[in-house]
Amino acid sequence: MPIVELNGRPYHVDDNGFLQDPQIWNDDVARDFATTEGIAEMTDEHWKLVRYLREYYLQFGIAPMVRKLCKETGLKLARVYELFPSGPANGACKVAGLPKPTGCV
Amino acid sequence: MRPRTKFSDLARADREPVARIDPADLPPLSSPGPPPAKLAAAWPARMDAAGYPLDGTRVLAFPDPATKAERDALVGAFLSGLEKLFSRENNWTFLQPLLLSMEHCARCQTCSDACHVFESSGREELYRPTFRSEIFRRLYFEHVKGGGLVSAWQHGRVEVTWPLVARLGELAYRCNLCRRCAQACPIGVDNGLIAHEIRKLFSQELGIAPTELHASGSMLQMKVGSSTGMNAAAVRDNASFIDEEMTEKTGVAVETPWDVEGADVLLIHNAGEILSWPENPGAFAVILNAAGISWTMSSDIAGYDSVNYGVWYDDAQLARVARMHAEIAKALKVKKIVVGECGHAHKALLVVADRLLDGDLRIPRESALTLLRDIVAGGRLRLDPSRNDFPVTLHDPCNVVRLMGVVEPQREVLRLVCPRFREMTPHGVDNYCCGGGSGFAVMGGNGFQDWRSQVAGRRKLQQVLDAFSDCLEPAVRKYVCAPCSNCKGQIRDLLAFHDVWRRHGIMYGGLAELVVNAMKDVNPGFIEWEWR
Amino acid sequence: MTVFVYAAIVFGVLAFAVGTAARAVQYARQPMHLRWELYPVPHERADRAAHGGSYFEQSEWWRQPRQRNLRGELAAMLPEMLLLKALREFNRGLWYRSFPFHLGLYLLAAAAVALLALAGATLGLGGAWPGGAFGRGCVTAVTAVGAAGLALAIAGACALLLRRIQDPALRAYSSPGDFFNLGFFIVALSALGLGWATRQDGAPGALAIAAGLLRWDLAVPIPALLGAGIVLSALLLAYIPLTHMSHFVGKYFTYHAVRWDDAPLGEARRLRTALSASLAHRPTWAASHMRGRGDGTWADVVATNPSREDGP
Ligand code: SF4
Ligand code: SF4
C-alpha cells in the first residue's frame, strides 16, 4: 500500500492516490489532497462541493451522481471541472476523502 | 528500433520493465491540429518499482516473496492451478476450447495483424496475441503433459520462475478478450480464450485479480447489490432523481416502476449508467412508457446491476451473478429479462451463462437492442428524425456483435432515427474493440488509464476520426453511438485524453438517447452537448 | 527390402488412422463447455448469416423455430478446407506458400487412393492393368496428379521453411521441432520423387508396387531410393498425428464445437444432462472465494454467496 507525504503528513493511499481510510478525513486532509490536484487554495466553491460529497457519502456510502452534485450545489459541470481539473470523480472525490468510485462509472 | 522482447525476458529477476513503450513509437494518429501536451508527457514516465514490472503500468497486486521458499511456494501454487485448468472436475466450463487452442497452433502469426493492441503499440512483441499464449503453451506441455526432451524439442520450453509467473499473470490483462485474433486464425486457435483462462487460474487458485474486478467488483456486487457500491436505498434515491430530471427535461411525466410482480419485462441496466450516464436509463423509461410496455426494475440485490465481471476472470463469480439475476426474475414472475445497453452483461447472461441456467431459472433473456428495434421499427413512437440532424457513427461492442451476433437491430434503429448515420471501417463482426474490453474500462490505477487511452484504444480513436473525416471541425457536433456502458467509459476517457471534444466536437453516448432525441412527443434537445 | 517397404506403408497408414482417430475421440469426449461462439456463424438463417447475425436478433428468439442452414455451413467449410480461405484473407504472403503445400498434400493423397484403386482393379482383372487408351489414360492421370502433388508439396514446404527461417517473427516462435517437421516433409517427399524419377527402365513403378503391396508380393524389386522415399513418407504419415500438424482434426472441433456452437441449453436434453453431470463435480480450486458452504460441488459453489455469511 503506497504512502504519500503531503505537506509533511504521511497518508496511506490506494493505487489511484485516494485516501485509504475515509474515516480520518478532516479539513486539513482535504487541503493536503488538494495539492495533488493542483489546487493552490480551497475556495468556498471547492468547500461547497467537498462538503456535499462528504455528506452524501456518509449517508449512502458512495459518491453521488454527478448530475445530482451539480444540481444540489448549483454549480455547472464545466465549473466543477474548472475547480477540480481531473473531474468530479477523480478530483473532487479524492479531496473529499471518498474511496475511488467503483463499478462501470 | 527497440530490441525484440523475448519469452525469457519475463523471467528476469531485476525490477526493470520488460518493455518500455515510448509514445514516439506508437503509430501516428491522423488528427489535424497539435496533439495535446500530455500525449507525450504523462506516460509512461510513471514506472512502478513494485513486483516484477511488465511495461510500466500494472493492474495486479502480487505478493513480493522475499525468500526462495516463498517464491517456490507461489510457483507451486501456480503449477497446481495450471493442472486444474486442464481437469474436467475443475474446468469443465472451458476445457474443450482450451485444449483445442493449446495443441494446434501452427505459429504462423496470422492472428497478430488482427490485434489492435499489438498494432497500436507499434508492434511491441509483448502484446502479440501469441506471446502470452506461447509461454503458456510451453508451460502446459512441460508441466501438464509430462514434458521431457522430445516435448521440449517439439514445443520449446521456458523456465518457470516466480517473476515469469507474475509477469504472465499481469500480461493476461493486456488483452481485451475481443477475440478478433481468433476470427483471423486459420485453425481456430483462440488467444483471447487463453488470456481468459490465465486470468481464471490466477483468480481461482491464487486469489489474485484486479481489485476493480474482484474485491470492489463482483464481491461488492454480491455484498451490497452493485459494483458501484449502491445499495437498494441509494439506487432508489438516484432513480427518483432521474425520474424528476427526465420529467423536467422531456415535459412528459416519467416514472420508473420498481419491483412490479408479474410485469412482462424486467429491465436490468448496468448500474454505472445510473450514476454516470443517467440520461440512458432515463431514455429507456421514456421509451418503454411511451410504447406501453409492461416493465419493471428490481431493487433486489444485484437486480439493478447487470454487470457480471466474472465473465472476464472467474467462472464461479460468473455463475453466481448469472444465477442471482435469474433468481430475481423468477421471484418477480416476469416474462423475460431485458439487458440494457451493456455489452459484457449481454454476453454473460444471454450467451455464456446460457449453459448454466436450467429448470425454473431458464427465464427468457433478451437484448435491449432488439427491444428498441421492435419499438422503433414497429412504429410505436412518433418520431422526427430531423431532430437528429448531426453526423452519427456506431461503435460495435465486441460482446454484443462478434461474440453474440446482434449486429443489425441497432443499425435498423439508427437508420430510422439518424439521417446522417455513417459506418466505421471495419464494422459489424469485424469491428475493433474500443480498448476498454474485458474490464479495462473500469480499471485505471498506476497509469493504466493512460495505457488504454494510448495503446488499447488507439485503433478505435483512429476509426472514429476516419468516420468523421469530412467534418472534423469542432463547430460540427458529432456523436459516437456506443450501446455499451464499458465502451462508453472507455470512449469517454479516450476522447478526453486526446482532447477530442474540444478539438473536433466529437461526443459519445448510447442508443436510447438518440431515439428519445427524435421523439415528437417530448421536448426537443434531449441530448445535451456538454462534455461529461 | 521389399518387405520393409510394405510393412512401412501398412504401419504408416494404420498409425495415421489410429492417431488421428484417437485425437478426434479425445476432443469429442470433452465435457460440454459454456458457450463461446464467434460470429459469423454460417449455419444461421442466410439473411442473418450474411452480416454475421445470430438468432438473438429476433424479437423473443426463444419462441422462434431455430433453423440450421446446412448449405451455408457447407459453403463456409469447403473454401476453408480446400482453399484455406482464412489464411488467404488474413495472411496472403503465407498463403502463397502454404496453399501450394496443402494442395500438394491433397493431390498426393488423392493420387495414393486412386493408385490403390487401380491396383485393386488390376488384381481383379487378373494381374495386368489394361493397356488401351482408357487404361493408359488412367495411369497417366494418376501419375500427373501425383507428380504435381509432389512438386507442389516440396516447393511449398521449402518456401515455408525458408520463411520460417528468414522472418524474425516466425523464427522467434519456432521450436527445433517446427524446422524438423518441414525438413522431414522435404526429405521424405524428395526421396520419393527422386526415387520415382530416377528408377531404371523396367523397374516397377508406383502402380506395380501398389499392386505388389495388395498381393504382398515380396518379389517386386523396389529400387533403393524409391523404397527409402516410401518408407520415409510412411513414417512421416505416422508422425503427423503426434504433432500440431494434426490441426485438421483440431480445426474441425474449433469450428464446429466452439466457434459455431450456438445451441441453447433449453433445446437439447444432451446439454441438460451434461450440465447436471458437471455441476456434480467437486472443484478443488484453492482461492477462498471458490469454496461452497455445502457439499462442495459446483452446484454448491454456485449457490454460495462469498460476500455474505448468511448464504446466497
Ligand atoms: S493462433 Fe492461429 S493465427 Fe495465431 S499463430 Fe497460432 S495458428 Fe497462427
Ligand atoms: S483477443 Fe483481442 S486484444 Fe486479445 S490478443 Fe486477440 S485481438 Fe488482441
Side-chain angles (χ1 to χ4, degrees):
Chain A
M1 194 180 303
I3 297 179
V4 291
E5 211 178 276
L6 303 172
N7 294 338
R9 283 181 282 265
Y11 293 104
H12 284 285
V13 295
D14 72 3
D15 282 345
N16 298 283
F18 280 64
L19 185 63
Q20 198 73 40
D21 178 8
Q23 308 294 326
I24 66 162
W25 187 87
N26 59 33
D27 286 10
D28 285 337
V29 177
R31 281 187 207 98
D32 292 348
F33 276 80
T35 61
T36 70
E37 290 295 301
I39 299 162
E41 206 194 320
M42 290 286 287
T43 63
D44 285 352
E45 280 180 315
H46 285 111
W47 284 118
K48 189 156 123 204
L49 271 172
V50 165
R51 298 221 189 283
Y52 176 72
L53 285 173
R54 203 61 213 172
E55 269 164 38
Y56 190 94
Y57 171 70
L58 291 178
Q59 189 183 351
F60 288 109
I62 57 158
M65 296 164 60
V66 174
R67 265 196 119 82
K68 193 159 180 160
L69 173 78
C70 294
K71 195 155 189 170
E72 306 279 328
T73 58
L75 294 166
K76 285 218 173 336
L77 187 58
R79 182 68 193 142
V80 177
Y81 271 94
E82 280 166 30
L83 293 167
F84 295 94
S86 49
N90 289 316
C93 284
K94 189 184 283 177
V95 176
L98 272 57
K100 182 168 164 59
T102 59
C104 300
V105 291
Chain B
M1 263 286 278
R2 54 178 181 255
R4 174 182 291 273
T5 310
K6 302 185 297 294
F7 302 137
S8 58
D9 288 347
L10 260 57
R12 274 186 359 210
D14 59 61
R15 306 295 178 134
E16 283 297 302
V18 167
R20 286 177 188 276
I21 317 298
D22 183 347
D25 288 343
L26 306 182
L29 288 163
S30 74
S31 160
K38 62 179 171 178
L39 195 97
W43 183 84
R46 284 191 245 162
M47 287 298 173
D48 193 322
Y52 295 97
L54 188 66
D55 55 358
T57 177
R58 101 181 144 72
V59 303
L60 292 177
F62 282 107
D64 199 0
T67 65
K68 183 169 179 318
E70 281 170 44
R71 281 193 297 273
D72 289 350
L74 283 165
V75 171
F78 169 81
L79 291 177
S80 89
L82 182 66
E83 228 162 277
K84 290 175 195 173
L85 270 190
F86 292 94
S87 87
R88 194 177 277 259
E89 291 67 31
N90 283 296
N91 201 29
W92 57 272
T93 45
F94 285 95
L95 184 54
Q96 188 183 43
L98 179 59
L99 274 181
L100 290 165
S101 283
M102 278 296 109
E103 297 186 352
H104 297 290
C105 174
R107 300 164 177 138
C108 67
Q109 308 309 341
T110 304
C111 48
S112 308
D113 290 333
C115 176
H116 59 290
V117 179
F118 178 56
E119 186 203 327
S120 300
S121 68
R123 301 176 78 83
E124 164 53 47
E125 203 58 32
L126 194 59
Y127 305 141
R128 190 188 280 279
T130 47
F131 189 91
R132 77 178 71 73
S133 304
E134 190 57 32
I135 293 176
F136 190 67
R137 187 171 286 120
R138 291 176 181 203
L139 295 175
Y140 161 73
F141 279 113
E142 181 162 352
H143 298 280
V144 179
K145 297 287 274 184
L149 281 179
V150 176
S151 166
W153 173 82
Q154 205 179 65
H155 306 292
R157 84 177 280 280
V158 287
E159 195 80 44
V160 60
T161 65
W162 174 243
L164 177 109
V165 169
R167 287 197 179 101
L168 181 65
E170 181 69 35
L171 189 54
Y173 289 92
R174 296 297 181 279
C175 161
N176 282 118
L177 310 186
C178 74
R179 297 173 70 213
R180 198 170 188 273
C181 56
Q183 216 177 23
C185 173
I187 297 179
V189 171
D190 188 340
N191 293 303
L193 173 77
I194 293 173
H196 176 256
E197 298 299 299
I198 299 174
R199 292 178 177 197
K200 274 166 51 183
L201 193 174
F202 278 87
S203 176
Q204 298 178 179
E205 186 71 11
L206 292 101
I208 295 173
T211 316
E212 292 93 333
L213 301 191
H214 188 69
S216 51
S218 61
M219 291 298 268
L220 185 61
Q221 183 184 21
M222 284 190 263
K223 186 170 179 204
V224 304
S226 162
S227 62
T228 59
M230 271 194 291
N231 57 23
V235 78
R236 292 294 297 267
D237 181 62
N238 283 331
S240 68
F241 174 77
I242 296 175
D243 285 351
E244 279 166 36
E245 284 262 292
M246 291 299 130
T247 306
E248 218 170 278
K249 199 161 145 183
T250 60
V252 185
V254 178
E255 209 194 312
T256 299
W258 285 92
D259 304 312
V260 180
E261 243 189 63
D264 286 352
V265 169
L266 167 64
L267 178 64
I268 314 186
H269 287 296
N270 178 322
E273 299 282 347
I274 293 170
L275 287 174
S276 296
W277 300 281
E279 58 285 353
N280 181 278
F284 268 96
V286 172
I287 294 168
L288 297 183
N289 288 345
I293 305 255
S294 143
W295 68 291
T296 185
M297 303 232 311
S298 160
S299 64
D300 208 340
I301 192 155
Y304 49 91
D305 197 350
S306 66
V307 305
N308 192 341
Y309 295 172
V311 76
W312 297 320
Y313 77 99
D314 191 297
D315 286 345
Q317 301 293 81
L318 160 79
R320 286 163 173 160
V321 170
R323 188 167 175 274
M324 288 170 108
H325 286 142
E327 293 276 10
I328 288 161
K330 185 179 94 179
L332 276 176
K333 304 192 183 69
V334 295
K335 295 215 176 77
K336 63 183 175 192
I337 302 175
V338 171
V339 180
E341 294 186 17
C342 173
H344 87 278
H346 270 73
K347 187 180 73 173
L349 194 58
L350 274 74
V351 184
V352 185
D354 180 80
R355 292 191 185 153
L356 289 167
L357 302 171
D358 198 8
D360 54 2
L361 291 184
R362 242 190 125 62
I363 319 278
R365 293 148 290 140
E366 188 176 64
S367 163
L369 304 180
T370 46
L371 182 63
L372 281 180
R373 187 264 326 268
D374 291 349
I375 292 172
V376 171
R380 293 165 80 172
L381 305 173
R382 298 195 327 126
L383 296 166
D384 173 10
S386 73
R387 288 191 181 180
N388 283 335
D389 187 23
F390 43 84
V392 173
T393 191
L394 173 68
H395 165 64
D396 283 304
C398 305
N399 285 314
V400 174
V401 177
R402 177 168 33 253
L403 308 180
M404 189 179 162
V406 175
V407 184
E408 270 296 302
Q410 57 273 41
R411 294 183 155 73
E412 284 175 53
V413 172
L414 285 177
R415 286 193 287 261
L416 287 168
V417 301
C418 296
R420 298 172 70 184
F421 168 55
R422 73 264 314 275
E423 292 278 12
M424 291 188 200
T425 317
H427 60 262
V429 290
D430 301 324
N431 79 322
Y432 279 104
C433 170
C434 60
S438 80
F440 288 9
V442 306
M443 289 153 38
N446 295 304
F448 192 70
Q449 187 169 333
D450 293 357
W451 182 85
R452 61 179 161 86
S453 298
Q454 278 278 40
V455 177
R458 200 174 193 83
R459 197 73 189 72
K460 184 50 64 176
L461 177 60
Q462 185 60 57
Q463 278 194 288
V464 169
L465 293 170
D466 289 347
F468 294 129
S469 61
D470 59 331
C471 53
L472 275 175
E473 53 282 15
V476 184
R477 289 155 165 181
K478 297 163 285 281
Y479 191 99
V480 181
C481 172
C484 166
S485 300
N486 275 269
C487 301
K488 268 195 304 213
Q490 162 71 2
I491 290 173
R492 170 192 61 200
D493 297 346
L494 186 62
L495 298 184
F497 186 93
H498 297 274
D499 205 8
V500 178
W501 167 239
R502 200 182 53 77
R503 288 160 66 208
H504 298 301
I506 300 176
M507 178 59 86
Y508 70 99
L511 181 65
E513 296 91 310
L514 287 168
V515 174
V516 175
N517 201 50
M519 278 172 68
K520 277 189 185 153
D521 298 327
V522 312
N523 297 335
F526 183 80
I527 290 178
E528 290 169 22
W529 297 92
E530 187 186 13
W531 180 254
R532 62 197 178 276
Chain C
M1 176 69 195
T2 303
V3 69
F4 279 121
V5 175
Y6 290 168
I9 296 176
V10 173
F11 167 74
V13 171
L14 281 182
F16 178 81
V18 170
T20 307
R23 258 192 197 253
V25 168
Q26 185 211 342
Y27 297 129
R29 280 216 181 132
Q30 296 306 323
M32 172 192 81
H33 57 82
L34 302 188
R35 271 171 63 182
W36 199 247
E37 64 250 36
L38 193 58
Y39 289 85
V41 170
H43 62 235
E44 251 307 327
R45 216 175 65 191
D47 56 331
R48 283 198 293 269
H51 59 255
S54 70
Y55 55 81
F56 288 120
E57 290 192 336
Q58 308 166 92
S59 27
E60 313 229 311
W61 58 267
W62 55 93
R63 288 186 202 285
Q64 320 295 334
R66 218 159 67 82
Q67 312 149 335
R68 272 176 74 96
N69 164 10
L70 280 176
R71 181 199 293 238
E73 187 160 321
L74 276 179
M77 280 168 67
L78 287 180
E80 193 47 62
M81 285 161 55
L82 298 178
L83 304 175
L84 314 186
K85 184 164 161 281
L87 191 63
R88 182 164 193 276
E89 196 175 323
F90 296 110
N91 195 347
R92 191 62 65 91
L94 194 64
W95 183 83
Y96 286 129
R97 295 158 172 86
S98 184
F99 176 64
F101 176 67
H102 284 89
L103 179 64
L105 295 184
Y106 295 162
L107 293 179
L108 273 176
V113 171
L115 201 56
L116 282 174
L118 289 189
T122 308
L123 297 189
L125 293 171
W129 178 250
F134 175 73
R136 274 200 308 275
C138 284
V139 173
T140 314
V142 172
T143 311
V145 169
L150 261 183
L152 282 170
I154 294 171
C158 289
L160 284 171
L161 183 61
L162 217 62
R163 175 133 171 154
R164 200 160 275 285
I165 293 169
Q166 283 172 344
D167 183 333
L170 290 190
R171 198 172 53 220
Y173 289 76
S174 303
S175 63
D178 290 328
F179 298 111
F180 171 84
N181 294 349
L182 286 167
F184 197 169
F185 269 100
I186 295 169
V187 170
L189 297 184
S190 300
L192 195 63
L194 279 177
W196 180 75
T198 60
R199 74 193 192 287
Q200 283 167 352
D201 279 349
L207 181 56
I209 298 175
L213 169 70
L214 292 185
R215 280 193 322 257
W216 207 259
D217 177 358
L218 300 184
V220 177
I222 302 176
L225 188 55
L226 183 55
I230 296 175
V231 171
L232 280 174
S233 303
L235 292 179
L236 175 60
L237 196 61
Y239 171 67
I240 286 174
L242 304 177
T243 70
H244 73 78
M245 292 184 290
S246 58
H247 52 237
F248 54 93
V249 184
K251 187 164 179 168
Y252 175 85
F253 286 94
T254 54
Y255 277 69
H256 290 84
V258 185
R259 287 178 68 154
W260 299 347
D261 177 10
D262 60 352
L265 181 102
E267 270 176 23
R269 178 188 266 304
R270 175 180 63 84
L271 297 178
R272 299 189 128 147
T273 319
L275 175 62
S276 24
S278 291
L279 287 176
H281 287 312
R282 286 193 165 74
T284 56
W285 292 107
S288 60
H289 73 275
M290 292 301 294
R291 274 174 234 136
R293 297 209 182 91
D295 62 5
T297 59
W298 271 105
D300 169 41
V301 169
V302 172
T304 301
N305 182 342
S307 296
R308 291 192 157 191
E309 268 310 312
D310 54 341

